[in-house]
Amino acid sequence: MIEQLEQWDKSLFKLLNGANNDLLDFLMPLISNKWVWIPLYAVLLYLLYKNDKQHIIITVLSITALIFISDQIASGILKPWVGRLRPCYDPSLEGAVNLLKGCGGQYGFASSHASNSFAVAFFCWVLLRDHVKFIWLLIPWAILVAYSRVYLGVHFPGDIIVGGLIGIGAAYFVIFLKRKAESFKR
């Protein structure tokens, strides 16, 4: 069963990674660059502050915990524990990976880019969906960031799917803790 899943994952990777063109070759490294998104993060922080000023300290601490949990599960625990090679290191894909920039660390399961972007997207979506009309656009943003990792040749689709699920789970867990902390403050 695991072997079949890996074969499907590699086949889907070849399809998605091989669908390159000049425009995407230019855009995907930018989309994958976490520093490019700082203005978005600043806007999200402002919206969270504007929506709930009285709990902004708890919100900032929650975001810090969210990224720590999301990133550590994906990178600190799963990558060394599972030890699945990134596509750019996989000998069975040698010569078949469209690698646009550096490969990164040896292991790629699960994607911390996917985990962190889905964590931020779902955290902000849940907290702001009743107050900010277009906040749902964070979900396609997280999908695009995750896809960029496959396009760049550094993650298999399975890596980003599991990373995304980790991020979503971390978001809901931290929201639960945030609401508990806010109820103690009252």
Side-chain angles (χ1 to χ4, degrees), residues 5 22 45 55 106 146 154 181:
L5 287 173
D22 290 341
L45 194 56
H55 295 118
Q106 187 176 13
V154 296

Side-chain angles (χ1 to χ4, degrees), residues 35-44:
W35 303 111
V36 168
W37 297 107
I38 288 176
L40 173 65
Y41 301 144
V43 168
L44 291 173

Side-chain angles (χ1 to χ4, degrees), residues 50-133:
K50 182 180 168 191
N51 180 56
D52 191 7
K53 292 177 180 111
Q54 72 183 35
H55 295 118
I56 192 60
I57 299 297
I58 293 172
T59 300
V60 170
L61 291 173
S62 296
I63 292 169
T64 303
L66 174 68
I67 298 302
F68 179 79
I69 291 167
S70 172
D71 195 65
Q72 286 307 302
I73 290 173
S75 290
I77 297 172
L78 285 179
K79 282 182 184 173
W81 182 53
V82 173
R84 183 179 192 199
L85 294 174
R86 290 179 184 268
C88 44
Y89 289 118
D90 189 322
S92 72
L93 294 174
E94 189 172 339
V97 176
N98 179 35
L99 187 65
L100 292 180
K101 53 186 233 168
C103 191
Q106 187 176 13
Y107 303 126
F109 185 87
S111 168
S112 55
H113 271 77
S115 178
N116 293 333
S117 60
F118 273 90
V120 168
F122 273 82
F123 181 85
C124 292
W125 175 70
V126 168
L127 295 179
L128 297 171
R129 65 184 167 203
D130 295 332
H131 309 283
V132 179
K133 186 176 184 177

Side-chain angles (χ1 to χ4, degrees), residues 138-150:
L138 288 176
I139 308 308
W141 164 77
I143 292 168
L144 184 61
V145 169
Y147 170 68
S148 76
R149 306 304 289 162
V150 175

Side-chain angles (χ1 to χ4, degrees), residues 7-20:
Q7 287 307 311
W8 289 341
D9 206 19
K10 287 183 181 182
S11 294
L12 184 56
F13 169 80
K14 288 177 187 176
L15 177 72
L16 296 174
N17 178 255
N20 53 326

